[in-house]
Structures are given as C-alpha cells and as structure tokens.
Amino acid sequence: MPRVSKVRTSPISGPRQREPAWRPRKLQIAKDRWEQLTRNQEPPRSFILFAKSSRNIALKPLTPETIPMTTPKEWKRLSFQEALELLRLPDEASTTQQSVQKFMSRQPAWTPGQELPWDAVGITPPKITRGAYGAVVYAQASLAATRVVEQEDDRVNENRRGIHSIHAVFTNPGLSDRPFILDVSEVHSSRSFSTRLVHARQSTQPSNNPSGPFPESDARAPLGSPCLTSIVTFKRPVPSSDEVQRIPPQQRFKEILSLRKPDEWDPCPQADVDALKAKFPNQGHGAFPILDMYKVDMGAFNADKTVPERRELIYYRLLKPLAREDANAHILCHAFEADRNSLFMLGNHLGYGHDLGIAASLSYSFYVHVNAEEAVMEDSEWWIQEVSWPRFSAGRGAMESLIWSPRGKHIATGYQDGIVLPMTTKPGREPKL
C-alpha cells in the first residue's frame, strides 16, 4: 500500500507545505545569561541535541535559541547525619586476633551530574557522571574510624581525640546502588596519638533496595575488592603557642569577594565541566547533600595566568544544623567539601572542558592544622575553599585545597592526585603550563 502523507490545511492561506518529521521548539534565554556564557570569547563550540525522530537527529550550535531552558527541579537534599548514616555491624576477629569493627552505609552515595535534565536534550549521561562522588566513601570511612576512637575515649572518660589527618587511595569506582561495607582496625594507639586503618568494599550485586535506605541484609552479600583504603590519624588537643599562616583570601581577593554576597554567586555546578555547564546552565545544587556551595567567578583574575597561578574560590556552609559537640563530624564536612569538582575544574583549565575523557582521583590526603573544635561551623557562617593546581604531568594533576574559616584562619589543607585526560588527542593542543 502506498504511503500517504498528511498535508495540513490553514484556514487563512489554504494548504500548507508538508511539515518535517520534527519541528524544533525555540527556547528563549535571558540576554544577561547569554552574555555571561559568551563574555570575552567566541560562543561555546558545544552542540546540543534539540530535536529528533526515529529517522532524524538534528544537531545545532549552542545559541540563545537552542539552549534548553528548564526550571531546576527541587531535589531532596540530605544532612550530614542522613547522607553519611552508618549501621554498626557485628565485629569479626582478624587473623591477628585483633577485632575488626564493621559498619555499613545506609544511603546511596551522591553522583555528580545525575540530577541534570538529560531527558530534555535526549542524550545519555557521559561516563564521567556515572560514578559515585568519591568524598562520600572517603568521609564515611573516616567517620567509622572516628566513632570507634570516640567510643574508646568515652569509655575511659578522656578528652576526645580529634581527626588529625586522612590519607586514602581510591582503587575501584564507587557505585551508588549498593552500600559501602567498612572494616576498621587498629594500627597504633597511645594516649595522645592514634591511627586506624579502614577498608571500604561493596557487594558484587546491587542492593535489594537500591534507592535506599539499604537493608542490613545487604551486608551479607558477597563483597568485591576494596574501592578505598584509608589511614586516619587522631590527636588530642594541645594549646597553641604561635600562629603562622598565609594571608587569607578574604584579604587577597577582597575586591572580587566584595562584588556579591556569598550566596549571590552561582551555585557550584553539579558537574563542573565546561561542556555540561554550557548544556545545562543554572541547574542549581541538585541533590548535593550536607553543604550549600557557591562558586566565585574568578574568570577575570585567571585570564592572564598560567594554570599553577590560577585560583578558584568556593563559599560553603552547612545545609542543616550539626551538633557543635561533634567536632570531628565538622572536620569531615570540610574534607567532604574539598573534593568537590576538583579534577573537573582542572580539566577546564587545561582546555579539556569540551573534550574531557577521564577525571579520576587516585589518592587524597587531608590535614587538619588546628584543634578539632576550631573546625566547628556555625549554621550561618560562610567558609572559603581556595583551590589551586601546582603541577600537571603524565596525565596526572596535583590539587591543593586550603580551608579558611570565616575569620580568615587556615584550618586545613587537602592534597589530591588524580588522572585527567582528554577524550581525544587533538593536533596542535597548546600546553597550559
């Protein structure tokens, strides 16, 4: 039977031309937003999929008419207590007759970019947005070790030891559809300083309730190889006789920071990759837990500098209240924050923002320079993370992250080493260092 094409008739002009199989719907974007995207540069080279049918896929350059303007969805955002909730499991004896204390996470780990409106552009999320946020298991492993040490201190009525440092190696990607099983063992203990070893593993199969909370029965599933191994050190508080530190960013970048209030800057991108920011502008926090984070626009400052001289500044504060007495939990909030978008931002500075292939942490160390109580965050206070990348070679980048209190005190420093590679090797790519 011959195929019959439908021809629409207009009451004003008679028969219309046959319409194509698809008709793109033009979407408006505010003029100031477009100017922000293209300020001092050519329009982004990203392309978006804005219309398709079973036979046609149309790609258009990113322009004000083709940027998908969607109202960010309101997502449920979990507090520290909710997002990092741990279930204590029965202890087990190790081969050295030393007990291994076990914990299980209860909630799915947040995944960067999973709340972006991928359906609106009709494409599948790229691989760089499919792995769980590494800081979740990083913080949970440290939290498990912390609860063990605090329990020991409470038993002997001693002042609680505070987290002194965290050193972790990421050995396998984390998955958000199953819990982390955390094994805590003692390495060394003295009255003032102690060390705990934590192995984090996941089962070889998804949870019976992958959207959480994970049932205790998940702890009995077969486990795979460790995805993270961490050493956490603890130290009792001591008085400080001298204070030496750099000039805080509140002074060095006073002119930039005075342009807006902290929460008037754009929220930290859910996945800070140039191509994704161009596709999904102003998508808000998504379901990012624990903290509110806002990224200062450092574009003008960084414009004429090499990568090691560039800086990114991020304001952050607690999303929901956290007990002041739980100082170690506050330290873990800082460590959780310091990992946010770190390698993605380096990829942008290296020129991989529209061609990013791999961004994966290998190791992450976090040092606390003060007594634990000085890291406590008040609900309304804004802290600052200052990020820089002093070295990149052999496909690996080094990140330095300084944590500054609202009063300009240097509280902690994070150091991270990770792989950052473009998807393709482009001829003539200029070095950025």
Side-chain angles (χ1 to χ4, degrees), residues 87-94 97-103 144 148 151-152 155 182-185 216:
L87 175 67
R88 185 69 181 262
L89 301 173
D91 297 349
E92 65 178 33
S94 70
Q97 302 302 314
Q98 187 180 61
S99 66
V100 175
Q101 301 184 65
K102 300 177 71 67
F103 297 80
V148 170
Q151 186 179 45
E152 295 170 358
R155 192 180 300 131
L182 308 164
D183 295 345
V184 182
S185 57
E216 186 175 356

mmCIF file with all atom_site columns, all heavy atoms in Angstrom, residues 87-94 97-103 144 148 151-152 155 182-185 216:
data_model
loop_
_atom_site.group_PDB
_atom_site.id
_atom_site.type_symbol
_atom_site.label_atom_id
_atom_site.label_alt_id
_atom_site.label_comp_id
_atom_site.label_asym_id
_atom_site.label_entity_id
_atom_site.label_seq_id
_atom_site.pdbx_PDB_ins_code
_atom_site.Cartn_x
_atom_site.Cartn_y
_atom_site.Cartn_z
_atom_site.occupancy
_atom_site.B_iso_or_equiv
_atom_site.pdbx_formal_charge
_atom_site.auth_seq_id
_atom_site.auth_comp_id
_atom_site.auth_asym_id
_atom_site.auth_atom_id
_atom_site.pdbx_PDB_model_num
ATOM 1   N N   . LEU A 1 87  ? 25.446 2.055   59.846 1.00 0.00 ? 87  LEU A N   1
ATOM 2   C CA  . LEU A 1 87  ? 24.864 0.993   60.667 1.00 0.00 ? 87  LEU A CA  1
ATOM 3   C C   . LEU A 1 87  ? 26.005 0.156   61.226 1.00 0.00 ? 87  LEU A C   1
ATOM 4   O O   . LEU A 1 87  ? 26.860 -0.321  60.474 1.00 0.00 ? 87  LEU A O   1
ATOM 5   C CB  . LEU A 1 87  ? 23.930 0.124   59.824 1.00 0.00 ? 87  LEU A CB  1
ATOM 6   C CG  . LEU A 1 87  ? 23.339 -1.112  60.509 1.00 0.00 ? 87  LEU A CG  1
ATOM 7   C CD1 . LEU A 1 87  ? 22.388 -0.695  61.624 1.00 0.00 ? 87  LEU A CD1 1
ATOM 8   C CD2 . LEU A 1 87  ? 22.615 -1.992  59.481 1.00 0.00 ? 87  LEU A CD2 1
ATOM 9   N N   . ARG A 1 88  ? 26.028 -0.003  62.541 1.00 0.00 ? 88  ARG A N   1
ATOM 10  C CA  . ARG A 1 88  ? 27.073 -0.818  63.167 1.00 0.00 ? 88  ARG A CA  1
ATOM 11  C C   . ARG A 1 88  ? 26.745 -2.296  62.970 1.00 0.00 ? 88  ARG A C   1
ATOM 12  O O   . ARG A 1 88  ? 25.629 -2.748  63.257 1.00 0.00 ? 88  ARG A O   1
ATOM 13  C CB  . ARG A 1 88  ? 27.171 -0.489  64.658 1.00 0.00 ? 88  ARG A CB  1
ATOM 14  C CG  . ARG A 1 88  ? 28.315 -1.190  65.389 1.00 0.00 ? 88  ARG A CG  1
ATOM 15  C CD  . ARG A 1 88  ? 29.653 -0.639  64.944 1.00 0.00 ? 88  ARG A CD  1
ATOM 16  N NE  . ARG A 1 88  ? 30.761 -1.312  65.604 1.00 0.00 ? 88  ARG A NE  1
ATOM 17  C CZ  . ARG A 1 88  ? 31.400 -0.828  66.673 1.00 0.00 ? 88  ARG A CZ  1
ATOM 18  N NH1 . ARG A 1 88  ? 31.020 0.333   67.200 1.00 0.00 ? 88  ARG A NH1 1
ATOM 19  N NH2 . ARG A 1 88  ? 32.402 -1.484  67.208 1.00 0.00 ? 88  ARG A NH2 1
ATOM 20  N N   . LEU A 1 89  ? 27.708 -3.040  62.466 1.00 0.00 ? 89  LEU A N   1
ATOM 21  C CA  . LEU A 1 89  ? 27.546 -4.469  62.232 1.00 0.00 ? 89  LEU A CA  1
ATOM 22  C C   . LEU A 1 89  ? 28.320 -5.245  63.297 1.00 0.00 ? 89  LEU A C   1
ATOM 23  O O   . LEU A 1 89  ? 29.199 -4.689  63.968 1.00 0.00 ? 89  LEU A O   1
ATOM 24  C CB  . LEU A 1 89  ? 28.062 -4.839  60.835 1.00 0.00 ? 89  LEU A CB  1
ATOM 25  C CG  . LEU A 1 89  ? 27.391 -4.139  59.650 1.00 0.00 ? 89  LEU A CG  1
ATOM 26  C CD1 . LEU A 1 89  ? 28.127 -4.478  58.357 1.00 0.00 ? 89  LEU A CD1 1
ATOM 27  C CD2 . LEU A 1 89  ? 25.922 -4.527  59.548 1.00 0.00 ? 89  LEU A CD2 1
ATOM 28  N N   . PRO A 1 90  ? 28.043 -6.520  63.468 1.00 0.00 ? 90  PRO A N   1
ATOM 29  C CA  . PRO A 1 90  ? 28.808 -7.318  64.438 1.00 0.00 ? 90  PRO A CA  1
ATOM 30  C C   . PRO A 1 90  ? 30.294 -7.329  64.087 1.00 0.00 ? 90  PRO A C   1
ATOM 31  O O   . PRO A 1 90  ? 30.674 -7.412  62.918 1.00 0.00 ? 90  PRO A O   1
ATOM 32  C CB  . PRO A 1 90  ? 28.192 -8.714  64.301 1.00 0.00 ? 90  PRO A CB  1
ATOM 33  C CG  . PRO A 1 90  ? 26.821 -8.475  63.758 1.00 0.00 ? 90  PRO A CG  1
ATOM 34  C CD  . PRO A 1 90  ? 26.937 -7.291  62.862 1.00 0.00 ? 90  PRO A CD  1
ATOM 35  N N   . ASP A 1 91  ? 31.142 -7.224  65.124 1.00 0.00 ? 91  ASP A N   1
ATOM 36  C CA  . ASP A 1 91  ? 32.589 -7.271  64.905 1.00 0.00 ? 91  ASP A CA  1
ATOM 37  C C   . ASP A 1 91  ? 32.994 -8.661  64.440 1.00 0.00 ? 91  ASP A C   1
ATOM 38  O O   . ASP A 1 91  ? 32.284 -9.649  64.648 1.00 0.00 ? 91  ASP A O   1
ATOM 39  C CB  . ASP A 1 91  ? 33.341 -6.937  66.199 1.00 0.00 ? 91  ASP A CB  1
ATOM 40  C CG  . ASP A 1 91  ? 33.062 -5.520  66.678 1.00 0.00 ? 91  ASP A CG  1
ATOM 41  O OD1 . ASP A 1 91  ? 32.469 -4.746  65.899 1.00 0.00 ? 91  ASP A OD1 1
ATOM 42  O OD2 . ASP A 1 91  ? 33.425 -5.200  67.825 1.00 0.00 ? 91  ASP A OD2 1
ATOM 43  N N   . GLU A 1 92  ? 34.158 -8.719  63.811 1.00 0.00 ? 92  GLU A N   1
ATOM 44  C CA  . GLU A 1 92  ? 34.699 -10.023 63.437 1.00 0.00 ? 92  GLU A CA  1
ATOM 45  C C   . GLU A 1 92  ? 36.175 -10.061 63.804 1.00 0.00 ? 92  GLU A C   1
ATOM 46  O O   . GLU A 1 92  ? 36.862 -9.036  63.821 1.00 0.00 ? 92  GLU A O   1
ATOM 47  C CB  . GLU A 1 92  ? 34.512 -10.299 61.947 1.00 0.00 ? 92  GLU A CB  1
ATOM 48  C CG  . GLU A 1 92  ? 35.276 -9.387  61.023 1.00 0.00 ? 92  GLU A CG  1
ATOM 49  C CD  . GLU A 1 92  ? 35.068 -9.749  59.557 1.00 0.00 ? 92  GLU A CD  1
ATOM 50  O OE1 . GLU A 1 92  ? 33.971 -10.206 59.202 1.00 0.00 ? 92  GLU A OE1 1
ATOM 51  O OE2 . GLU A 1 92  ? 36.020 -9.549  58.779 1.00 0.00 ? 92  GLU A OE2 1
ATOM 52  N N   . ALA A 1 93  ? 36.676 -11.250 64.131 1.00 0.00 ? 93  ALA A N   1
ATOM 53  C CA  . ALA A 1 93  ? 38.077 -11.404 64.511 1.00 0.00 ? 93  ALA A CA  1
ATOM 54  C C   . ALA A 1 93  ? 38.940 -11.504 63.266 1.00 0.00 ? 93  ALA A C   1
ATOM 55  O O   . ALA A 1 93  ? 38.557 -12.128 62.274 1.00 0.00 ? 93  ALA A O   1
ATOM 56  C CB  . ALA A 1 93  ? 38.252 -12.643 65.373 1.00 0.00 ? 93  ALA A CB  1
ATOM 57  N N   . SER A 1 94  ? 40.109 -10.873 63.318 1.00 0.00 ? 94  SER A N   1
ATOM 58  C CA  . SER A 1 94  ? 41.044 -10.950 62.201 1.00 0.00 ? 94  SER A CA  1
ATOM 59  C C   . SER A 1 94  ? 42.046 -12.066 62.454 1.00 0.00 ? 94  SER A C   1
ATOM 60  O O   . SER A 1 94  ? 42.036 -12.718 63.498 1.00 0.00 ? 94  SER A O   1
ATOM 61  C CB  . SER A 1 94  ? 41.778 -9.616  62.034 1.00 0.00 ? 94  SER A CB  1
ATOM 62  O OG  . SER A 1 94  ? 42.678 -9.424  63.106 1.00 0.00 ? 94  SER A OG  1
ATOM 63  N N   . GLN A 1 97  ? 44.063 -11.923 65.684 1.00 0.00 ? 97  GLN A N   1
ATOM 64  C CA  . GLN A 1 97  ? 43.275 -11.961 66.913 1.00 0.00 ? 97  GLN A CA  1
ATOM 65  C C   . GLN A 1 97  ? 42.782 -10.585 67.338 1.00 0.00 ? 97  GLN A C   1
ATOM 66  O O   . GLN A 1 97  ? 42.242 -10.426 68.425 1.00 0.00 ? 97  GLN A O   1
ATOM 67  C CB  . GLN A 1 97  ? 44.097 -12.587 68.064 1.00 0.00 ? 97  GLN A CB  1
ATOM 68  C CG  . GLN A 1 97  ? 44.600 -13.987 67.779 1.00 0.00 ? 97  GLN A CG  1
ATOM 69  C CD  . GLN A 1 97  ? 43.461 -14.946 67.467 1.00 0.00 ? 97  GLN A CD  1
ATOM 70  O OE1 . GLN A 1 97  ? 42.451 -14.959 68.165 1.00 0.00 ? 97  GLN A OE1 1
ATOM 71  N NE2 . GLN A 1 97  ? 43.618 -15.738 66.416 1.00 0.00 ? 97  GLN A NE2 1
ATOM 72  N N   . GLN A 1 98  ? 42.985 -9.598  66.487 1.00 0.00 ? 98  GLN A N   1
ATOM 73  C CA  . GLN A 1 98  ? 42.509 -8.250  66.779 1.00 0.00 ? 98  GLN A CA  1
ATOM 74  C C   . GLN A 1 98  ? 41.160 -8.068  66.105 1.00 0.00 ? 98  GLN A C   1
ATOM 75  O O   . GLN A 1 98  ? 40.997 -8.399  64.934 1.00 0.00 ? 98  GLN A O   1
ATOM 76  C CB  . GLN A 1 98  ? 43.517 -7.223  66.256 1.00 0.00 ? 98  GLN A CB  1
ATOM 77  C CG  . GLN A 1 98  ? 43.208 -5.794  66.653 1.00 0.00 ? 98  GLN A CG  1
ATOM 78  C CD  . GLN A 1 98  ? 44.251 -4.843  66.090 1.00 0.00 ? 98  GLN A CD  1
ATOM 79  O OE1 . GLN A 1 98  ? 44.424 -4.744  64.881 1.00 0.00 ? 98  GLN A OE1 1
ATOM 80  N NE2 . GLN A 1 98  ? 44.957 -4.166  66.967 1.00 0.00 ? 98  GLN A NE2 1
ATOM 81  N N   . SER A 1 99  ? 40.203 -7.559  66.838 1.00 0.00 ? 99  SER A N   1
ATOM 82  C CA  . SER A 1 99  ? 38.862 -7.446  66.273 1.00 0.00 ? 99  SER A CA  1
ATOM 83  C C   . SER A 1 99  ? 38.811 -6.380  65.187 1.00 0.00 ? 99  SER A C   1
ATOM 84  O O   . SER A 1 99  ? 39.490 -5.354  65.268 1.00 0.00 ? 99  SER A O   1
ATOM 85  C CB  . SER A 1 99  ? 37.854 -7.110  67.374 1.00 0.00 ? 99  SER A CB  1
ATOM 86  O OG  . SER A 1 99  ? 38.111 -5.826  67.893 1.00 0.00 ? 99  SER A OG  1
ATOM 87  N N   . VAL A 1 100 ? 38.023 -6.659  64.165 1.00 0.00 ? 100 VAL A N   1
ATOM 88  C CA  . VAL A 1 100 ? 37.749 -5.698  63.099 1.00 0.00 ? 100 VAL A CA  1
ATOM 89  C C   . VAL A 1 100 ? 36.330 -5.199  63.304 1.00 0.00 ? 100 VAL A C   1
ATOM 90  O O   . VAL A 1 100 ? 35.387 -5.990  63.357 1.00 0.00 ? 100 VAL A O   1
ATOM 91  C CB  . VAL A 1 100 ? 37.897 -6.350  61.709 1.00 0.00 ? 100 VAL A CB  1
ATOM 92  C CG1 . VAL A 1 100 ? 37.485 -5.368  60.621 1.00 0.00 ? 100 VAL A CG1 1
ATOM 93  C CG2 . VAL A 1 100 ? 39.329 -6.822  61.492 1.00 0.00 ? 100 VAL A CG2 1
ATOM 94  N N   . GLN A 1 101 ? 36.185 -3.906  63.442 1.00 0.00 ? 101 GLN A N   1
ATOM 95  C CA  . GLN A 1 101 ? 34.871 -3.327  63.699 1.00 0.00 ? 101 GLN A CA  1
ATOM 96  C C   . GLN A 1 101 ? 34.258 -2.894  62.374 1.00 0.00 ? 101 GLN A C   1
ATOM 97  O O   . GLN A 1 101 ? 34.897 -2.209  61.579 1.00 0.00 ? 101 GLN A O   1
ATOM 98  C CB  . GLN A 1 101 ? 35.002 -2.173  64.691 1.00 0.00 ? 101 GLN A CB  1
ATOM 99  C CG  . GLN A 1 101 ? 35.617 -2.674  66.002 1.00 0.00 ? 101 GLN A CG  1
ATOM 100 C CD  . GLN A 1 101 ? 35.693 -1.612  67.067 1.00 0.00 ? 101 GLN A CD  1
ATOM 101 O OE1 . GLN A 1 101 ? 34.677 -1.130  67.551 1.00 0.00 ? 101 GLN A OE1 1
ATOM 102 N NE2 . GLN A 1 101 ? 36.906 -1.246  67.437 1.00 0.00 ? 101 GLN A NE2 1
ATOM 103 N N   . LYS A 1 102 ? 33.017 -3.295  62.169 1.00 0.00 ? 102 LYS A N   1
ATOM 104 C CA  . LYS A 1 102 ? 32.392 -3.192  60.853 1.00 0.00 ? 102 LYS A CA  1
ATOM 105 C C   . LYS A 1 102 ? 31.201 -2.233  60.876 1.00 0.00 ? 102 LYS A C   1
ATOM 106 O O   . LYS A 1 102 ? 30.446 -2.177  61.852 1.00 0.00 ? 102 LYS A O   1
ATOM 107 C CB  . LYS A 1 102 ? 31.935 -4.573  60.369 1.00 0.00 ? 102 LYS A CB  1
ATOM 108 C CG  . LYS A 1 102 ? 33.060 -5.594  60.249 1.00 0.00 ? 102 LYS A CG  1
ATOM 109 C CD  . LYS A 1 102 ? 32.538 -6.959  59.837 1.00 0.00 ? 102 LYS A CD  1
ATOM 110 C CE  . LYS A 1 102 ? 32.069 -6.974  58.393 1.00 0.00 ? 102 LYS A CE  1
ATOM 111 N NZ  . LYS A 1 102 ? 33.190 -6.797  57.446 1.00 0.00 ? 102 LYS A NZ  1
ATOM 112 N N   . PHE A 1 103 ? 31.054 -1.526  59.762 1.00 0.00 ? 103 PHE A N   1
ATOM 113 C CA  . PHE A 1 103 ? 29.943 -0.597  59.578 1.00 0.00 ? 103 PHE A CA  1
ATOM 114 C C   . PHE A 1 103 ? 29.423 -0.745  58.151 1.00 0.00 ? 103 PHE A C   1
ATOM 115 O O   . PHE A 1 103 ? 30.134 -1.207  57.258 1.00 0.00 ? 103 PHE A O   1
ATOM 116 C CB  . PHE A 1 103 ? 30.393 0.853   59.792 1.00 0.00 ? 103 PHE A CB  1
ATOM 117 C CG  . PHE A 1 103 ? 30.893 1.157   61.178 1.00 0.00 ? 103 PHE A CG  1
ATOM 118 C CD1 . PHE A 1 103 ? 32.184 0.810   61.562 1.00 0.00 ? 103 PHE A CD1 1
ATOM 119 C CD2 . PHE A 1 103 ? 30.078 1.798   62.100 1.00 0.00 ? 103 PHE A CD2 1
ATOM 120 C CE1 . PHE A 1 103 ? 32.654 1.099   62.828 1.00 0.00 ? 103 PHE A CE1 1
ATOM 121 C CE2 . PHE A 1 103 ? 30.538 2.095   63.369 1.00 0.00 ? 103 PHE A CE2 1
ATOM 122 C CZ  . PHE A 1 103 ? 31.831 1.744   63.737 1.00 0.00 ? 103 PHE A CZ  1
ATOM 123 N N   . ALA A 1 144 ? 33.594 6.162   60.313 1.00 0.00 ? 144 ALA A N   1
ATOM 124 C CA  . ALA A 1 144 ? 33.590 4.873   61.006 1.00 0.00 ? 144 ALA A CA  1
ATOM 125 C C   . ALA A 1 144 ? 34.775 4.779   61.965 1.00 0.00 ? 144 ALA A C   1
ATOM 126 O O   . ALA A 1 144 ? 34.622 4.372   63.132 1.00 0.00 ? 144 ALA A O   1
ATOM 127 C CB  . ALA A 1 144 ? 33.627 3.738   59.986 1.00 0.00 ? 144 ALA A CB  1
ATOM 128 N N   . VAL A 1 148 ? 34.744 4.734   66.345 1.00 0.00 ? 148 VAL A N   1
ATOM 129 C CA  . VAL A 1 148 ? 35.450 3.729   67.139 1.00 0.00 ? 148 VAL A CA  1
ATOM 130 C C   . VAL A 1 148 ? 36.353 4.407   68.168 1.00 0.00 ? 148 VAL A C   1
ATOM 131 O O   . VAL A 1 148 ? 36.354 4.058   69.358 1.00 0.00 ? 148 VAL A O   1
ATOM 132 C CB  . VAL A 1 148 ? 36.271 2.802   66.220 1.00 0.00 ? 148 VAL A CB  1
ATOM 133 C CG1 . VAL A 1 148 ? 37.204 1.916   67.048 1.00 0.00 ? 148 VAL A CG1 1
ATOM 134 C CG2 . VAL A 1 148 ? 35.349 1.949   65.364 1.00 0.00 ? 148 VAL A CG2 1
ATOM 135 N N   . GLN A 1 151 ? 34.396 6.234   70.930 1.00 0.00 ? 151 GLN A N   1
ATOM 136 C CA  . GLN A 1 151 ? 33.837 5.289   71.891 1.00 0.00 ? 151 GLN A CA  1
ATOM 137 C C   . GLN A 1 151 ? 34.895 4.874   72.914 1.00 0.00 ? 151 GLN A C   1
ATOM 138 O O   . GLN A 1 151 ? 34.608 4.746   74.112 1.00 0.00 ? 151 GLN A O   1
ATOM 139 C CB  . GLN A 1 151 ? 33.291 4.068   71.162 1.00 0.00 ? 151 GLN A CB  1
ATOM 140 C CG  . GLN A 1 151 ? 32.551 3.085   72.054 1.00 0.00 ? 151 GLN A CG  1
ATOM 141 C CD  . GLN A 1 151 ? 32.004 1.908   71.266 1.00 0.00 ? 151 GLN A CD  1
ATOM 142 O OE1 . GLN A 1 151 ? 32.690 1.327   70.429 1.00 0.00 ? 151 GLN A OE1 1
ATOM 143 N NE2 . GLN A 1 151 ? 30.754 1.561   71.520 1.00 0.00 ? 151 GLN A NE2 1
ATOM 144 N N   . GLU A 1 152 ? 36.121 4.689   72.456 1.00 0.00 ? 152 GLU A N   1
ATOM 145 C CA  . GLU A 1 152 ? 37.213 4.349   73.372 1.00 0.00 ? 152 GLU A CA  1
ATOM 146 C C   . GLU A 1 152 ? 37.473 5.488   74.356 1.00 0.00 ? 152 GLU A C   1
ATOM 147 O O   . GLU A 1 152 ? 37.677 5.256   75.553 1.00 0.00 ? 152 GLU A O   1
ATOM 148 C CB  . GLU A 1 152 ? 38.483 4.046   72.570 1.00 0.00 ? 152 GLU A CB  1
ATOM 149 C CG  . GLU A 1 152 ? 38.381 2.814   71.690 1.00 0.00 ? 152 GLU A CG  1
ATOM 150 C CD  . GLU A 1 152 ? 39.554 2.684   70.732 1.00 0.00 ? 152 GLU A CD  1
ATOM 151 O OE1 . GLU A 1 152 ? 40.423 3.591   70.733 1.00 0.00 ? 152 GLU A OE1 1
ATOM 152 O OE2 . GLU A 1 152 ? 39.599 1.694   69.985 1.00 0.00 ? 152 GLU A OE2 1
ATOM 153 N N   . ARG A 1 155 ? 34.793 5.750   76.991 1.00 0.00 ? 155 ARG A N   1
ATOM 154 C CA  . ARG A 1 155 ? 34.845 4.642   77.947 1.00 0.00 ? 155 ARG A CA  1
ATOM 155 C C   . ARG A 1 155 ? 35.808 4.945   79.095 1.00 0.00 ? 155 ARG A C   1
ATOM 156 O O   . ARG A 1 155 ? 35.585 4.529   80.234 1.00 0.00 ? 155 ARG A O   1
ATOM 157 C CB  . ARG A 1 155 ? 35.268 3.362   77.216 1.00 0.00 ? 155 ARG A CB  1
ATOM 158 C CG  . ARG A 1 155 ? 35.080 2.089   78.028 1.00 0.00 ? 155 ARG A CG  1
ATOM 159 C CD  . ARG A 1 155 ? 35.518 0.874   77.220 1.00 0.00 ? 155 ARG A CD  1
ATOM 160 N NE  . ARG A 1 155 ? 34.737 0.758   75.991 1.00 0.00 ? 155 ARG A NE  1
ATOM 161 C CZ  . ARG A 1 155 ? 35.260 0.580   74.784 1.00 0.00 ? 155 ARG A CZ  1
ATOM 162 N NH1 . ARG A 1 155 ? 36.571 0.528   74.627 1.00 0.00 ? 155 ARG A NH1 1
ATOM 163 N NH2 . ARG A 1 155 ? 34.477 0.462   73.736 1.00 0.00 ? 155 ARG A NH2 1
ATOM 164 N N   . LEU A 1 182 ? 32.427 -1.139  55.655 1.00 0.00 ? 182 LEU A N   1
ATOM 165 C CA  . LEU A 1 182 ? 33.645 -0.514  56.164 1.00 0.00 ? 182 LEU A CA  1
ATOM 166 C C   . LEU A 1 182 ? 34.229 -1.350  57.297 1.00 0.00 ? 182 LEU A C   1
ATOM 167 O O   . LEU A 1 182 ? 33.545 -1.623  58.293 1.00 0.00 ? 182 LEU A O   1
ATOM 168 C CB  . LEU A 1 182 ? 33.328 0.899   56.664 1.00 0.00 ? 182 LEU A CB  1
ATOM 169 C CG  . LEU A 1 182 ? 32.577 1.786   55.654 1.00 0.00 ? 182 LEU A CG  1
ATOM 170 C CD1 . LEU A 1 182 ? 31.974 2.993   56.347 1.00 0.00 ? 182 LEU A CD1 1
ATOM 171 C CD2 . LEU A 1 182 ? 33.504 2.220   54.534 1.00 0.00 ? 182 LEU A CD2 1
ATOM 172 N N   . ASP A 1 183 ? 35.478 -1.752  57.147 1.00 0.00 ? 183 ASP A N   1
ATOM 173 C CA  . ASP A 1 183 ? 36.186 -2.529  58.166 1.00 0.00 ? 183 ASP A CA  1
ATOM 174 C C   . ASP A 1 183 ? 37.235 -1.637  58.818 1.00 0.00 ? 183 ASP A C   1
ATOM 175 O O   . ASP A 1 183 ? 38.136 -1.127  58.133 1.00 0.00 ? 183 ASP A O   1
ATOM 176 C CB  . ASP A 1 183 ? 36.877 -3.743  57.546 1.00 0.00 ? 183 ASP A CB  1
ATOM 177 C CG  . ASP A 1 183 ? 35.893 -4.746  56.964 1.00 0.00 ? 183 ASP A CG  1
ATOM 178 O OD1 . ASP A 1 183 ? 34.694 -4.641  57.283 1.00 0.00 ? 183 ASP A OD1 1
ATOM 179 O OD2 . ASP A 1 183 ? 36.320 -5.617  56.191 1.00 0.00 ? 183 ASP A OD2 1
ATOM 180 N N   . VAL A 1 184 ? 37.133 -1.460  60.136 1.00 0.00 ? 184 VAL A N   1
ATOM 181 C CA  . VAL A 1 184 ? 38.043 -0.585  60.876 1.00 0.00 ? 184 VAL A CA  1
ATOM 182 C C   . VAL A 1 184 ? 38.927 -1.433  61.781 1.00 0.00 ? 184 VAL A C   1
ATOM 183 O O   . VAL A 1 184 ? 38.426 -2.243  62.572 1.00 0.00 ? 184 VAL A O   1
ATOM 184 C CB  . VAL A 1 184 ? 37.264 0.435   61.732 1.00 0.00 ? 184 VAL A CB  1
ATOM 185 C CG1 . VAL A 1 184 ? 38.226 1.369   62.462 1.00 0.00 ? 184 VAL A CG1 1
ATOM 186 C CG2 . VAL A 1 184 ? 36.287 1.225   60.871 1.00 0.00 ? 184 VAL A CG2 1
ATOM 187 N N   . SER A 1 185 ? 40.233 -1.237  61.671 1.00 0.00 ? 185 SER A N   1
ATOM 188 C CA  . SER A 1 185 ? 41.170 -1.964  62.542 1.00 0.00 ? 185 SER A CA  1
ATOM 189 C C   . SER A 1 185 ? 42.205 -0.995  63.103 1.00 0.00 ? 185 SER A C   1
ATOM 190 O O   . SER A 1 185 ? 42.485 0.057   62.523 1.00 0.00 ? 185 SER A O   1
ATOM 191 C CB  . SER A 1 185 ? 41.863 -3.097  61.775 1.00 0.00 ? 185 SER A CB  1
ATOM 192 O OG  . SER A 1 185 ? 42.534 -2.603  60.637 1.00 0.00 ? 185 SER A OG  1
ATOM 193 N N   . GLU A 1 216 ? 19.864 -4.155  56.231 1.00 0.00 ? 216 GLU A N   1
ATOM 194 C CA  . GLU A 1 216 ? 21.014 -4.817  56.852 1.00 0.00 ? 216 GLU A CA  1
ATOM 195 C C   . GLU A 1 216 ? 21.388 -6.097  56.118 1.00 0.00 ? 216 GLU A C   1
ATOM 196 O O   . GLU A 1 216 ? 22.552 -6.514  56.125 1.00 0.00 ? 216 GLU A O   1
ATOM 197 C CB  . GLU A 1 216 ? 20.711 -5.118  58.320 1.00 0.00 ? 216 GLU A CB  1
ATOM 198 C CG  . GLU A 1 216 ? 21.899 -5.677  59.080 1.00 0.00 ? 216 GLU A CG  1
ATOM 199 C CD  . GLU A 1 216 ? 21.619 -5.848  60.560 1.00 0.00 ? 216 GLU A CD  1
ATOM 200 O OE1 . GLU A 1 216 ? 20.513 -5.450  61.004 1.00 0.00 ? 216 GLU A OE1 1
ATOM 201 O OE2 . GLU A 1 216 ? 22.496 -6.374  61.275 1.00 0.00 ? 216 GLU A OE2 1
#
